[in-house]
Amino acid sequence: MDTAAVEVVDLVKRYGATTAVSGLTFSARRGAVTALLGPNGAGKTSTIEICEGFRRADGGRVRVLGLDPVADATALKPRVGVMPQSGGVPTGARAAEWLNLMASFHASPIAPAVLMERLGLNSVAATPFRRLSGGQQQRLSLACAVVGRPELVFLDEPTAGLDPQARMATWDLVSALREAGVAVILSTHHMEEAERLADHVVIIDRGAVVAEGAPAALTEGRREVCFSSTPVDSSALLAALPEGSRVADGATTDGRHEYVVTTDDAAALGPEFLATVTAWCASAGVLAEDLRVRRRTLEDVFLELTGRELRDQ
Ligand SMILES: Nc1ncnc2c1ncn2[C@@H]1O[C@H](COP(=O)(O)OP(=O)(O)OP(=O)(O)O)[C@@H](O)[C@H]1O
């Protein structure tokens, strides 16, 4: 039982000339929630589908519950739940009938009625899949993924497009799975989702891991000094700060500017750094309004690592 739930080493996946995954390495613990975060096209779905045994890798090594997802697919099937990004249920299948059928394939499933209730699907129990709303389709796919009490479940963007109530119900279910000892691998674009649910976050960009750790560890010690004022000479402020500092200058609609000052060396952003910023403001005759030292969020860290610009993949 001490093997990882999922172990991915130097994974490579190509589609023709596109390298979707290029040397990706991470591992996911049993009984923990691991979130894969990354911009569109980062390679999350490709990685998940290889772990699910739906796609073959072009290089590297993947182990799921200690087994090979393709060669050992039969042994893994009853132990692993899968919620794909879309589909997975025949369009004509009625919600409750399909979930009952999925439950019948497992030795000791969760009662389908309990899942239907928990995920707010009772009112559409007799509705064919194609007539469900997008959010209802997702919730039915989630129910199908977990009904067999899997040891490991893959959830590819489980809350994309869900309303706040459905998102909360999904988060509660993921937390309950974790408490029951299930390993959950989820891909998401929601930073709050990763921060609230994940024990371990893997930030992926251009097919490789750019950072990983517990959400608190990823933001640990990362701070920035923020203030607003009339426009200042930000390059002069930068020159007064230690090497590795950065000053972001954002104009606001009322003609004032929001300044965000930070440094690459997290340990350097202490009382002296703040004093240097305020001393410079004093010398330049600048009244720094709303001055504060802010802890950086996972979203700040994510954008810093993966960039702010939209990409043409
Ligand atoms: N079947 C395919 N054929 C060709 N290219 C593909 C295929 N599937 C994915 N790709 C490409 O591989 C890259 C990675 O895609 P992937 O879906 O794995 O990323 P992702 O991180 O899941 O993205 P998103 O957040 O948008 O779902 C993208 O450039 C995508 O266009």
Side-chain angles (χ1 to χ4, degrees), residues 141-167:
S141 297
L142 174 61
C144 291
V146 305
V147 72
R149 297 187 198 274
E151 289 167 54
L152 163 66
V153 61
F154 290 101
L155 308 176
D156 199 351
E157 296 189 28
T159 61
L162 292 189
D163 63 32
Q165 290 84 353
R167 187 181 307 153

Side-chain angles (χ1 to χ4, degrees), residues 181-237:
V182 178
V184 180
I185 314 288
L186 64 88
S187 79
T188 183
H189 292 284
H190 283 287
M191 302 296 144
E192 190 194 345
E193 182 162 295
E195 248 167 343
R196 283 173 74 136
L197 292 182
D199 299 285
H200 190 75
V201 171
V202 181
I203 301 180
I204 300 175
D205 195 19
R206 301 178 204 273
V209 174
V210 291
E212 63 178 315
L218 284 170
T219 53
E220 176 76 45
R222 292 179 182 250
R223 296 188 178 84
E224 57 196 19
V225 178
C226 310
F227 66 92
S228 74
S229 71
T230 51
V232 306
D233 180 356
S234 53
S235 53
L237 169 57

Side-chain angles (χ1 to χ4, degrees), residues 15-16 18-21 38-47 55 85 156-157 187 189 313:
Y15 303 100
T18 305
T19 301
V21 181
N40 290 135
K44 304 178 296 295
T45 298
S46 300
T47 301
R55 287 189 189 279
Q85 212 172 73
D156 199 351
E157 296 189 28
S187 79
H189 292 284
Q313 300 164 26

Side-chain angles (χ1 to χ4, degrees), residues 8 17 50 53 75 88 91 103 115 117 125 150 174 189 193 209 224 237 247 255 264 292 297 301 306-307:
V8 172
I50 290 167
T91 56
L115 277 175
E117 164 83 36
V174 170
H189 292 284
E193 182 162 295
V209 174
E224 57 196 19
L237 169 57
V247 179
D264 291 336
R292 68 199 186 280
T297 63
V301 174
T306 61

